[in-house]
Amino acid sequence: DSAPTPPNFKSSRHPAFCLSVCTLYNTCLLPCQHQSHLGPISHRHASRHPSHIWRFHLPSRGYRTTSDLCSYTLTPPQVNSILKANEYSFKVPEFDGKNVSSVMGFDSNQLPANAPIEDRRSAATCLQTRGMLLGVFDGHAGCACAQALSERLFYYIAVSLLPHETLCDLEAAVEAGRALSPILQWHKHPHDYFSREAQTLYFNSLRTYWQELIDLNSPGEIPDTREALLNAFKRLDNDLSLEAQVGDPNAFLHYWVLRVAFSGATACVAHIDGQDLYIANAGDGRAVLGVQEEDGSFSAHTLSNDHNAQNEDEVTRIRSEHPPSERKTVIRQDRLLGLLMPFRAFGDVKFKWSIELQKRVLESGPDQLHENEHTKFIPPNYHTPPYLTAEPEITYHRLRPQDRFLVIGSDGLWETLHRQEVVRIVGEYLTGVHQRQPLTVGGYRVTLGQMQGLLEERKARMSTAFEDQNAATHLIRHAVGNNEFGTVDHERLSKMLSLPEELARMYRDDITIIITQFNPHVIGAQRQEEQS
């Protein structure tokens, strides 16, 4: 993929405004591989769009065997190198006498299937308020929208959580040309990209948002976390739409905001503050809590709902928002208008704008946009937009000592492993204890010799299973390499990881995982303090 070379970005804005951009965003300007993330919009999205649009069919992932895969055999060090390339870990600093966190730390990782990968991840600590934000963003029709969310959504959430007085202080600092106090402490992998050219544009929209919050809120009013999450999601999606409609004098930025708006992304975000855990989900990402039972085993407690055709409430909601005449066309083949798999997402203005607005914006847009197939078609039976929303479903959970960890993953994870299996694998990794469950062979007929081999393999695995230093890496190893007996098959893992780009997406999706580990002692002490 080739990418347009961005012009030198020089702002003509007021010096105070430029200073504010630098101080607010300086912690996120990290090294990146520019071309790999800013190439033309990818069209390899068979799990999100139907085969008649994207020209190939995604086979079922559940019935492939290693003999089907045309690939090369990788050595164990090569496999580890691929699996560990994007891993990141963060440990919360020890008790300092002022602040005790219910979060011990988190591990995250990504494994691409698309080239470039369309998933994004973000993690940050809110510096002006308490709490930590963690999110997974799953892009489709390109990576642009997911990229924008990974940079911007947490700022919108953090600003929504700020008290009126702090918002006024921010605005006064911008007006006076003073440096702003940081809002977020980002926890980023060096490869996580930030679009430097767009930072002033992003800051401008964010500032307009907090100015409106100042006008709407009253001094002394304490923001509600649920409302803050809801408003941040909806406001950012609205800003993505407005920025694309207005355009930008800078040709590169004009092209960028249109790419963001015409691509799309789901978002699954957690806000953790003490015992309070909120999940804001829009799309088919998923958040699952790992709960340790009295016998030491782990059970899965799902904290989000998938927004797709398998969710009857979502089907009912969408049909209720459109005339009875569209009942048979608004959802076809388990997709929105027969095209889009997730029923909630950011961007995707093809499913939100009127046909007239789409045509007007595209006609005034740069020529490069016309080369992208995704912008050319109008969805069939498109009569009463919008059909799509970025409004999240908010779930609240009060943490307990037995709640040991939270797994947030893109749908590429949950398509390969059941949530209970995910929790078991992570729980055993974090505790270092295998639950000696009966060995199952999934209905396969096996000889005594084969059974002996499986038992020996499981015994050998006891000493090597926790070679990964990162829980998310360990989980990806299982998601990609598990065989029909539930154990990691190195040969299968090797072949799956060595598939060429044009084939990888036919066997699996991008996988992005954040695993957050809780501190049961802190949570238990907080509960006792409240009760006393």
Side-chain angles (χ1 to χ4, degrees):
D1 288 346
S2 60
T5 302
N8 291 328
F9 187 77
K10 297 180 180 179
S11 174
S12 60
R13 298 186 181 275
H14 188 278
F17 185 90
C18 299
L19 178 62
S20 301
V21 174
C22 293
T23 55
L24 186 62
Y25 285 93
N26 64 353
T27 57
C28 66
L29 300 181
L30 296 172
C32 64
Q33 295 176 334
H34 183 76
Q35 287 199 340
S36 67
H37 288 280
L38 291 183
I41 294 178
S42 168
H43 297 302
R44 292 171 237 170
H45 314 285
S47 71
R48 299 300 179 104
H49 300 276
S51 56
H52 70 273
I53 293 293
W54 302 112
R55 294 201 286 270
F56 66 81
H57 177 64
L58 178 65
S60 170
R61 296 190 183 92
Y63 300 95
R64 294 283 178 176
T65 64
T66 53
S67 62
D68 296 325
L69 309 182
C70 300
S71 54
Y72 301 97
T73 301
L74 302 174
T75 65
Q78 289 173 324
V79 166
N80 288 339
S81 178
I82 293 171
L83 290 178
K84 296 174 184 291
N86 297 308
E87 67 179 12
Y88 178 83
S89 295
F90 175 76
K91 302 303 178 187
V92 174
E94 294 292 333
F95 173 60
D96 60 5
K98 297 180 181 178
N99 185 35
V100 179
S101 176
S102 58
V103 175
M104 296 176 64
F106 69 86
D107 292 340
S108 74
N109 203 350
Q110 295 184 292
L111 183 67
N114 293 292
I117 186 172
E118 295 181 340
D119 283 6
R120 293 294 186 272
R121 58 183 167 177
S122 290
T125 300
C126 298
L127 296 175
Q128 302 291 332
T129 59
R130 298 191 310 166
M132 180 175 285
L133 288 164
L134 307 112
V136 167
F137 313 103
D138 187 349
H140 48 268
C143 60
C145 188
Q147 177 61 44
L149 297 189
S150 72
E151 299 182 52
R152 305 180 68 179
L153 182 57
F154 285 7
Y155 277 118
Y156 279 67
I157 294 172
V159 165
S160 301
L161 289 167
L162 291 179
H164 185 271
E165 294 76 9
T166 307
L167 291 173
C168 291
D169 291 342
L170 280 177
E171 180 61 21
V174 176
E175 287 291 333
R178 299 194 307 270
L180 297 180
S181 299
I183 295 176
L184 295 173
Q185 176 191 352
W186 289 97
H187 311 300
K188 286 287 185 182
H189 187 284
H191 292 167
D192 289 345
Y193 172 75
F194 269 85
S195 49
R196 304 175 187 226
E197 299 81 14
Q199 295 306 311
T200 300
L201 170 69
Y202 291 173
F203 181 86
N204 189 27
S205 295
L206 182 67
R207 183 187 179 190
T208 301
Y209 179 43
W210 83 49
Q211 288 172 336
E212 294 182 15
L213 288 175
I214 290 173
D215 293 337
L216 290 172
N217 298 337
S218 304
E221 186 176 346
I222 300 176
D224 177 75
T225 303
R226 183 183 296 271
E227 286 297 315
L229 290 166
L230 186 69
N231 293 337
F233 271 60
K234 293 168 66 175
R235 176 55 182 246
L236 177 55
D237 190 53
N238 186 64
D239 282 355
L240 300 181
S241 176
L242 286 176
E243 289 161 2
Q245 293 175 51
V246 173
D248 195 281
N250 180 304
F252 174 79
L253 286 179
H254 191 183
Y255 179 47
W256 175 249
V257 296
L258 287 170
R259 284 188 56 195
V260 170
F262 277 92
S263 61
T266 65
C268 188
V269 172
H271 179 266
I272 307 166
D273 182 1
Q275 300 172 67
D276 297 326
L277 168 60
Y278 286 88
I279 301 294
N281 185 52
D284 49 13
R286 192 179 296 172
V288 175
L289 195 65
V291 182
Q292 189 165 28
E293 305 296 343
E294 291 184 0
D295 64 358
S297 65
F298 288 88
S299 61
H301 179 42
T302 305
L303 294 177
S304 63
N305 295 309
D306 296 349
H307 299 132
N308 54 30
Q310 281 64 56
N311 184 332
E312 293 184 3
D313 290 339
E314 278 294 285
V315 172
T316 301
R317 177 187 66 81
I318 289 176
R319 285 179 173 160
S320 69
E321 293 173 353
H322 300 277
S325 59
E326 295 185 61
R327 180 175 178 82
K328 294 183 178 180
T329 59
V330 68
I331 297 174
R332 297 181 61 227
Q333 299 177 330
D334 288 343
R335 298 170 185 263
L336 189 65
L337 295 178
L339 297 173
L340 192 65
M341 205 167 199
F343 288 174
R344 303 192 193 195
F346 284 84
D348 281 320
V349 294
K350 276 290 188 181
F351 298 87
K352 296 173 181 176
W353 289 356
S354 67
I355 294 176
E356 294 74 18
L357 178 57
Q358 292 184 41
K359 290 180 177 178
R360 179 175 64 80
V361 170
L362 286 173
E363 288 172 359
S364 63
D367 293 338
Q368 302 101 304
L369 198 70
H370 300 173
E371 300 170 5
N372 293 318
E373 184 177 332
H374 182 63
T375 64
K376 294 179 180 178
F377 74 94
I378 298 294
N381 303 298
Y382 196 79
H383 306 298
T384 56
Y387 289 89
L388 188 66
T389 180
E391 179 174 330
E393 185 174 11
I394 312 292
T395 307
Y396 173 76
H397 178 79
R398 192 162 183 80
L399 289 172
R400 307 160 298 174
Q402 62 265 38
D403 299 328
R404 300 305 298 272
F405 58 88
L406 175 71
V407 180
I408 308 174
S410 58
D411 66 336
L413 170 66
W414 310 109
E415 288 172 352
T416 58
L417 289 174
H418 187 272
R419 63 182 182 275
Q420 183 57 49
E421 185 71 358
V422 166
V423 165
R424 182 190 64 80
I425 292 168
V426 174
E428 290 180 354
Y429 172 87
L430 293 177
T431 60
V433 176
H434 279 283
Q435 298 300 320
R436 286 302 195 93
Q437 299 170 342
L439 183 64
T440 61
V441 294
Y444 290 85
R445 300 177 66 178
V446 297
T447 65
L448 287 176
Q450 289 171 324
M451 180 64 75
Q452 174 71 15
L454 288 171
L455 290 170
E456 290 177 352
E457 180 183 339
R458 184 161 91 166
K459 181 179 179 181
R461 199 171 73 250
M462 291 292 290
S463 60
T464 61
F466 302 130
E467 61 187 12
D468 294 314
Q469 301 300 308
N470 181 296
T473 304
H474 184 73
L475 185 54
I476 289 177
R477 188 184 299 273
H478 279 265
V480 178
N482 265 16
N483 58 21
E484 57 268 31
F485 304 115
T487 62
V488 176
D489 181 333
H490 173 74
E491 182 181 359
R492 175 179 176 81
L493 183 61
S494 168
K495 289 183 176 180
M496 289 292 287
L497 293 179
S498 62
L499 286 170
E501 291 178 358
E502 62 272 15
L503 288 180
R505 186 59 187 85
M506 299 180 68
Y507 288 87
R508 59 177 178 81
D509 197 357
D510 297 329
I511 298 175
T512 298
I513 300 169
I514 300 177
I515 299 174
T516 305
Q517 191 172 0
F518 299 119
N519 190 326
H521 304 294
V522 169
I523 294 171
Q526 290 174 343
R527 293 175 73 92
Q528 288 182 355
E529 184 178 339
E530 286 183 357
Q531 293 172 358
S532 61

